[in-house]
Every structure is written in structure tokens, then in C-alpha cells.
Coordinates of all heavy atoms in Angstrom, one line a residue:
Q1 N 116.8 109.4 95.8 CA 118.0 110.1 95.8 C 117.8 111.6 96.2 O 118.6 112.2 96.9 CB 118.6 110.1 94.5 CG 120.0 110.8 94.4 CD 121.1 110.2 95.3 OE1 121.1 108.9 95.4 NE2 121.8 111.0 95.9
V2 N 116.6 112.2 95.9 CA 116.3 113.6 96.1 C 116.5 113.9 97.5 O 117.1 115.0 97.9 CB 114.9 114.0 95.6 CG1 114.6 115.4 96.0 CG2 114.9 113.8 94.0
W3 N 115.9 113.1 98.4 CA 115.9 113.4 99.9 C 117.4 113.3 100.5 O 117.6 113.9 101.5 CB 115.0 112.5 100.6 CG 115.3 111.1 100.5 CD1 114.8 110.2 99.6 CD2 116.1 110.3 101.4 NE1 115.2 108.9 99.8 CE2 116.1 109.0 100.9 CE3 117.0 110.6 102.4 CZ2 116.9 108.0 101.4 CZ3 117.7 109.6 103.0 CH2 117.6 108.3 102.5
R4 N 118.3 112.6 99.8 CA 119.6 112.5 100.2 C 120.4 113.8 99.9 O 121.3 114.2 100.6 CB 120.3 111.3 99.5 CG 119.8 109.9 99.8 CD 120.3 108.9 99.0 NE 119.7 107.6 99.1 CZ 120.1 106.6 99.9 NH1 121.2 106.7 100.6 NH2 119.4 105.5 100.0
D5 N 120.0 114.4 98.8 CA 120.8 115.6 98.3 C 120.3 116.8 99.0 O 121.1 117.8 99.0 CB 120.6 115.7 96.8 CG 121.2 114.5 96.0 OD1 122.1 113.9 96.6 OD2 120.7 114.3 94.9
R6 N 119.1 116.9 99.4 CA 118.6 118.1 100.1 C 117.7 117.6 101.3 O 117.3 116.5 101.4 CB 117.7 118.9 99.1 CG 116.4 118.3 98.7 CD 115.7 119.2 97.8 NE 114.4 118.7 97.4 CZ 113.8 118.7 96.2 NH1 114.4 119.2 95.2 NH2 112.6 118.2 96.0
I7 N 117.4 118.6 102.2 CA 116.4 118.3 103.3 C 115.0 118.1 102.8 O 114.4 119.2 102.4 CB 116.6 119.3 104.4 CG1 118.0 119.5 104.8 CG2 115.7 119.0 105.6 CD1 118.6 118.3 105.5
D8 N 114.5 116.9 102.7 CA 113.2 116.7 102.1 C 112.6 115.4 102.6 O 112.7 114.3 102.0 CB 113.3 116.7 100.6 CG 112.0 116.8 99.9 OD1 110.9 116.5 100.5 OD2 111.9 117.2 98.8
V9 N 112.1 115.5 103.9 CA 111.6 114.3 104.5 C 110.3 113.7 103.7 O 110.1 112.5 103.6 CB 111.2 114.6 105.9 CG1 110.7 113.3 106.6 CG2 112.3 115.1 106.7
A10 N 109.6 114.7 103.2 CA 108.3 114.2 102.4 C 108.7 113.3 101.3 O 108.1 112.3 101.0 CB 107.6 115.5 101.9
E11 N 109.8 113.7 100.6 CA 110.3 112.8 99.5 C 110.8 111.4 100.0 O 110.5 110.4 99.4 CB 111.3 113.5 98.7 CG 111.5 113.0 97.3 CD 110.4 113.1 96.3 OE1 109.6 114.1 96.5 OE2 110.2 112.3 95.5
F12 N 111.4 111.5 101.1 CA 111.9 110.2 101.7 C 110.7 109.3 102.0 O 110.7 108.1 101.8 CB 112.6 110.5 103.0 CG 112.8 109.3 103.8 CD1 113.8 108.4 103.6 CD2 112.1 109.1 105.0 CE1 114.0 107.2 104.3 CE2 112.3 108.0 105.8 CZ 113.2 107.1 105.5
V13 N 109.7 109.9 102.6 CA 108.4 109.1 102.9 C 107.8 108.5 101.7 O 107.5 107.3 101.6 CB 107.4 109.9 103.7 CG1 106.1 109.2 103.9 CG2 108.0 110.3 105.1
R14 N 107.7 109.4 100.6 CA 107.0 108.9 99.5 C 107.8 107.8 98.8 O 107.2 106.8 98.3 CB 106.8 110.0 98.4 CG 105.9 111.1 98.9 CD 105.7 112.2 97.8 NE 105.0 113.4 98.3 CZ 105.6 114.5 98.6 NH1 106.9 114.7 98.4 NH2 104.9 115.5 99.1
D15 N 109.1 107.9 98.9 CA 110.0 106.8 98.2 C 110.0 105.5 99.0 O 110.4 104.5 98.4 CB 111.4 107.4 98.1 CG 111.6 108.4 97.0 OD1 110.7 108.5 96.2 OD2 112.6 109.1 97.0
N16 N 109.6 105.5 100.3 CA 109.9 104.4 101.1 C 108.8 103.8 101.9 O 108.8 102.6 102.3 CB 111.0 104.7 102.1 CG 112.3 104.8 101.4 OD1 113.1 103.9 101.0 ND2 112.7 106.2 101.2
Y17 N 107.7 104.5 102.1 CA 106.6 103.9 102.9 C 105.8 102.9 102.1 O 105.7 102.9 100.9 CB 105.7 105.0 103.5 CG 104.5 105.3 102.7 CD1 103.2 104.8 102.9 CD2 104.6 106.2 101.6 CE1 102.1 105.2 102.2 CE2 103.5 106.6 100.8 CZ 102.3 106.0 101.1 OH 101.2 106.4 100.4
Q18 N 105.1 102.0 102.8 CA 104.2 101.0 102.2 C 102.8 101.1 102.8 O 102.7 100.9 104.0 CB 104.8 99.6 102.5 CG 106.0 99.3 101.7 CD 105.9 99.3 100.2 OE1 104.8 98.9 99.7 NE2 106.8 100.0 99.5
P19 N 101.8 101.4 102.1 CA 100.5 101.5 102.5 C 100.1 100.1 103.2 O 100.5 99.1 102.7 CB 99.6 101.8 101.4 CG 100.6 102.4 100.4 CD 101.8 101.7 100.6
Y20 N 99.2 100.2 104.2 CA 98.7 99.0 104.8 C 97.1 98.9 104.6 O 96.5 99.9 105.0 CB 99.1 98.9 106.3 CG 98.6 97.7 106.9 CD1 99.1 96.4 106.6 CD2 97.6 97.7 107.9 CE1 98.6 95.3 107.3 CE2 97.1 96.6 108.6 CZ 97.6 95.4 108.3 OH 97.2 94.2 108.9
Y21 N 96.6 97.8 104.1 CA 95.2 97.7 103.8 C 94.6 96.7 104.7 O 93.4 96.4 104.7 CB 95.0 97.2 102.3 CG 95.5 98.3 101.3 CD1 96.8 98.3 100.8 CD2 94.6 99.3 100.9 CE1 97.3 99.2 99.9 CE2 95.1 100.3 100.0 CZ 96.4 100.2 99.5 OH 96.8 101.2 98.6
G22 N 95.4 96.0 105.6 CA 94.9 94.8 106.3 C 94.1 95.2 107.6 O 93.8 96.4 107.8
T23 N 93.9 94.3 108.4 CA 93.1 94.5 109.6 C 94.0 94.8 110.8 O 95.2 94.8 110.6 CB 92.3 93.2 110.0 OG1 93.1 92.1 110.3 CG2 91.5 92.8 108.7
A24 N 93.5 94.9 112.0 CA 94.2 95.2 113.2 C 94.7 93.9 113.9 O 95.2 94.0 115.0 CB 93.4 96.1 114.1
D25 N 94.5 92.8 113.3 CA 94.8 91.5 113.9 C 96.3 91.4 114.3 O 96.6 90.6 115.3 CB 94.4 90.3 113.0 CG 92.9 90.2 112.8 OD1 92.2 90.9 113.6 OD2 92.5 89.5 111.9
F26 N 97.2 92.1 113.7 CA 98.6 92.0 114.0 C 99.0 92.6 115.3 O 100.1 92.5 115.8 CB 99.4 92.6 112.8 CG 99.4 94.0 112.8 CD1 100.4 94.9 113.4 CD2 98.4 94.7 112.0 CE1 100.3 96.2 113.3 CE2 98.3 96.1 112.0 CZ 99.3 96.8 112.6
L27 N 98.1 93.5 115.8 CA 98.5 94.4 116.9 C 98.7 93.5 118.3 O 98.1 92.5 118.4 CB 97.4 95.4 117.2 CG 97.3 96.5 116.2 CD1 96.1 97.4 116.4 CD2 98.6 97.4 116.2
T28 N 99.5 94.0 119.2 CA 99.8 93.3 120.4 C 99.4 94.2 121.6 O 99.3 95.4 121.4 CB 101.3 93.0 120.5 OG1 102.0 94.1 120.6 CG2 101.8 92.1 119.3
G29 N 99.3 93.6 122.7 CA 99.1 94.4 124.0 C 100.4 95.0 124.5 O 101.4 95.0 123.8
A30 N 100.3 95.7 125.6 CA 101.4 96.3 126.2 C 102.4 95.3 126.7 O 102.1 94.3 127.2 CB 101.1 97.2 127.3
S31 N 103.7 95.6 126.5 CA 104.8 94.7 127.0 C 104.8 94.8 128.5 O 104.3 95.7 129.1 CB 106.1 95.1 126.4 OG 106.5 96.3 126.9

């Protein structure tokens, strides 16, 4: 909610991002 009430991108990121611990196997080549 904090980032909705004021300009605060850092708070938006903290509230919503998900760390990734896996490998690079999901990556794809250029389209």
C-alpha cells in the first residue's frame, strides 16, 4: 500500500519481487 500512496518504487519492488535461486536453463535464444 505504501507505494500506492506516495512515489516509492523501492517499496513496490520489495513488496512484489521474487528472488530466483535456480539455474540458467530456462533462458532462450533470440527470437
Side-chain angles (χ1 to χ4, degrees):
Q1 185 60 43
V2 170
W3 60 268
R4 298 172 190 261
D5 298 334
R6 68 179 187 220
I7 305 298
D8 195 337
V9 183
E11 198 65 29
F12 166 76
V13 171
R14 294 185 191 107
D15 286 343
N16 291 281
Y17 89 100
Q18 290 298 318
Y20 180 67
Y21 297 90
T23 69
D25 292 344
F26 72 94
L27 292 169
T28 67
S31 69

